[in-house]
Amino acid sequence: DVKVTQSSRYLVKRTGEKVFLECVQDMDHENMFWYRQDPGLGLRLIYFSYDVKMKEKGDIPEGYSVSREKKERFSLILESASTNQTSMYLCASSLSGQGRKNIQYFGAGTRLSVL
Amino acid sequence: AQSVTQLDSHVSVSEGTPVLLRCNYSSSYSPSLFWYVQHPNKGLQLLLKYTSAATLVKGINGFEAEFKKSETSFHLTKPSAHMSDAAEYFCVVSENAGGTSYGKLTFGQGTILTVHP
């Protein structure tokens, strides 16, 4: 089974703090993704990476950055956390090569509260 | 551009009765379509997928969905609901992102399914 592990289930941070969310996958997937999930809005893509050190902006990248130094690990960084970044964050991974047919596998999520 | 509309934000059924969760999509190209389920405080789990083979797709836990191109629909059904089906369900469309091998997903807003005893 594919396993996507997010390091924290719950995080509470203060406004202005730098926040790191970590994600690790164990299936040698080329693609990794970060989404945020808000009630009534579904999931929205923040950033994705298709290879080590490569990244692309998603639909809502403002206020976020990412890092992918190793194939299995993809980090989401909130440079200066704000209250409007309180949300559920989901990491996913997928194989490359079949484009739209690829299944994305999701982690359990990190619920971040910024106070 | 692609989009997904889930026509009901909440659906409530009694245990043992049929389930219908409705989804319409818009896509410029031949899309792939997925249904994911999310149980409380859990990540998303794939229920089923359509990728241009058979239009009637069977998934896990007795769910199935039918791709109807003429109606741009991909409704999710189950003949008999079980208490464990209570969760949030997401309809998802995927298209290739430009000339890449990456499939960009667009999620619907989600439908919360409640199952009464």
Side-chain angles (χ1 to χ4, degrees), chain A residues 63-115:
Chain A
Y64 303 94
S65 62
V66 290
S67 173
R68 192 160 180 209
E69 297 296 318
K70 294 184 178 182
K71 190 175 186 179
E72 68 270 19
R73 186 180 297 272
F74 192 36
S75 303
L76 180 68
I77 304 157
L78 286 66
E79 296 288 344
S80 177
S82 64
T83 55
N84 62 12
Q85 292 178 310
T86 291
S87 187
M88 170 74 92
Y89 291 87
L90 290 164
C91 175
S93 71
S94 73
L95 283 169
S96 185
Q98 290 197 8
R100 61 176 177 80
K101 297 183 180 181
N102 290 349
I103 297 169
Q104 290 189 19
Y105 297 88
F106 286 82
T110 296
R111 189 168 294 281
L112 173 67
S113 296
V114 182
L115 306 178

Side-chain angles (χ1 to χ4, degrees), chain A residues 14-99:
Chain A
R14 298 213 174 268
T15 302
E17 278 192 76
K18 191 169 186 175
V19 181
F20 293 85
L21 303 182
E22 306 287 345
C23 175
V24 177
Q25 51 93 4
D26 66 357
M27 286 302 292
D28 203 34
H29 285 173
E30 293 85 1
N31 301 324
M32 295 189 75
F33 310 84
W34 275 107
Y35 296 88
R36 65 176 282 175
Q37 181 182 11
D38 300 289
L41 296 178
L43 275 72
R44 294 176 292 167
L45 181 64
I46 304 171
Y47 267 98
F48 71 97
S49 169
Y50 53 88
D51 201 352
V52 175
K53 298 191 184 296
M54 306 305 290
K55 60 184 179 183
E56 292 283 344
K57 293 181 180 179
D59 298 319
I60 51 165
E62 296 78 17
Y64 303 94
S65 62
V66 290
S67 173
R68 192 160 180 209
E69 297 296 318
K70 294 184 178 182
K71 190 175 186 179
E72 68 270 19
R73 186 180 297 272
F74 192 36
S75 303
L76 180 68
I77 304 157
L78 286 66
E79 296 288 344
S80 177
S82 64
T83 55
N84 62 12
Q85 292 178 310
T86 291
S87 187
M88 170 74 92
Y89 291 87
L90 290 164
C91 175
S93 71
S94 73
L95 283 169
S96 185
Q98 290 197 8

Side-chain angles (χ1 to χ4, degrees), chain A residues 9 33 37 59 96 100 104, chain B residues 32 38 41 96 101-102:
Chain A
R9 291 299 307 275
F33 310 84
Q37 181 182 11
D59 298 319
S96 185
R100 61 176 177 80
Q104 290 189 19
Chain B
S32 290
Q38 185 179 33
N41 299 313
N96 283 11
S101 63
Y102 153 60

